[in-house]
Amino acid sequence: GAVVSQHPSRVICKSGTSVKIECRSLDFQATTMFWYRQFPKQSLMLMATSNEGSKATYEQGVEKDKFLINHASLTLSTLTVTSAHPEDSSFYICSARDHGDVGELFFGEGSRLTVL
Amino acid sequence: GQNIDQPTEMTATEGAIVQINCTYQTSGFNGLFWYQQHAGEAPTFLSYNVLDGLEEKGRFSSFLSRSKGYSYLLLKELQMKDSASYLCAVKDSNYQLIWGAGTKLIIKP
C-alpha cells in the first residue's frame, strides 16, 4: 500500500511555543491530506482537510489561526500548532488517499504532542 | 445527525473467534471501512465494503448490510497481537469519513 510518513513522532514543548508537524506521501501524490486529533481512549476527530495549493478547510470548532496548515506540494502538508497550551497535548495523525475520493486512507505514524 | 455505534470493549480468548458489530446512521453511504489501531499508533486499514455481503481476507472478514445500516468485523484464530482497537468508519454522501469511537479488543491466553 501507499506510504505516508509523519514527523516528529514525539515532541515535548513549553507552553507558548509553536510546533510544526510534517506529513509526507512517499510514493504517491496527494492533492488532499487530512489532519486528525485523537485524545486518549477517544476516536479520531477530523480537524481539517488540507488541499494542495489552496487554503485548508477546517472543521467546526477548530481554530484556523491556532492550527496552521500548509500544503505547498503534492507530497507535503504541515500542521503548526501555534502558542501551544497543555490542553493541546494530544495525538495528531495525518492521512491521505492516492485515488481522489475513493479508496482507503493511509495514515502517517502519528505525532504525540506534550505541552508542558 | 450522523452516528456510528460500536461496543466500547470486548474480551476474547486466544484461538477463538470474535465478532465486532458496527451500526451506522449517516447522510448517504459511499462505503464502510474497518481499521485496526494499536495503542499509541496510527490506524491501519483492514477492509472496505461498499456492497452487501461478506468480504474475506485471511483471518479477518467484514460483512455489510446497507438496508440495516449494519456491519461486522469477524476475527478468527485470534492471536495475542490482535489486541487493539478496531475502528468502524463510514463514508457519507459528501465522501467525508465518519468515525466510530472504536472497540477495544482484549485477547486473553
Side-chain angles (χ1 to χ4, degrees):
Chain A
V3 178
V4 176
S5 178
Q6 195 172 334
H7 177 81
S9 58
R10 291 182 181 273
V11 57
I12 300 173
C13 69
K14 293 182 179 180
S15 185
T17 60
S18 295
V19 173
K20 180 186 284 188
I21 302 169
E22 294 187 348
C23 179
R24 294 180 184 274
S25 56
L26 298 186
D27 53 358
F28 66 100
Q29 294 182 329
T31 55
T32 303
M33 290 184 173
F34 304 90
W35 286 96
Y36 291 87
R37 179 167 55 184
Q38 187 176 36
F39 293 106
K41 299 183 180 180
Q42 294 186 24
S43 188
L44 297 169
M45 291 176 52
L46 180 65
M47 298 176 65
T49 302
S50 171
N51 304 298
E52 187 268 336
S54 65
K55 293 182 179 180
T57 304
Y58 290 81
E59 296 300 301
Q60 191 172 9
V62 178
E63 300 174 58
K64 61 181 181 181
D65 294 331
K66 181 170 183 61
F67 299 99
L68 301 178
I69 292 174
N70 184 277
H71 195 154
S73 77
L74 286 171
T75 60
L76 173 64
S77 175
T78 60
L79 167 68
T80 302
V81 183
T82 62
S83 187
H85 291 285
E87 57 265 31
D88 298 324
S89 298
S90 185
F91 191 48
Y92 292 87
I93 313 173
C94 72
S95 67
R97 290 194 188 96
D98 63 352
H99 288 95
D101 284 331
V102 300
E104 66 194 82
L105 278 179
F106 296 95
F107 286 86
E109 303 92 333
S111 300
R112 173 79 56 192
L113 171 64
T114 302
V115 184
L116 302 177
Chain B
Q2 310 209 86
N3 196 48
I4 308 273
D5 285 319
Q6 46 182 138
T8 304
E9 186 174 298
M10 298 182 70
T11 303
T13 305
E14 188 176 17
I17 299 173
V18 71
Q19 177 174 311
I20 303 174
N21 296 325
C22 171
T23 57
Y24 63 89
Q25 293 174 311
T26 56
S27 56
F29 178 85
N30 279 299
L32 184 144
F33 296 82
W34 283 97
Y35 282 83
Q36 180 190 61
Q37 186 178 24
H38 286 99
E41 299 180 12
T44 55
F45 171 80
L46 289 179
S47 68
Y48 172 61
N49 293 68
V50 66
L51 299 176
D52 290 348
L54 187 68
E55 294 278 345
E56 297 186 78
K57 190 185 294 184
R59 294 189 298 114
F60 293 5
S61 302
S62 57
F63 172 83
L64 173 68
S65 169
R66 288 172 295 171
S67 62
K68 296 181 179 178
Y70 167 70
S71 172
Y72 68 71
L73 179 69
L74 190 71
L75 293 77
K76 303 176 185 176
E77 301 171 15
L78 286 170
Q79 301 175 10
M80 297 303 292
K81 66 178 183 179
D82 297 330
S83 292
S85 286
Y86 291 85
L87 305 173
C88 173
V90 173
K91 198 183 298 183
D92 69 9
S93 56
N94 294 319
Y95 293 93
Q96 296 292 322
L97 267 184
I98 312 300
W99 292 88
T103 298
K104 182 179 180 180
L105 178 63
I106 300 169
I107 309 296
K108 295 185 175 180

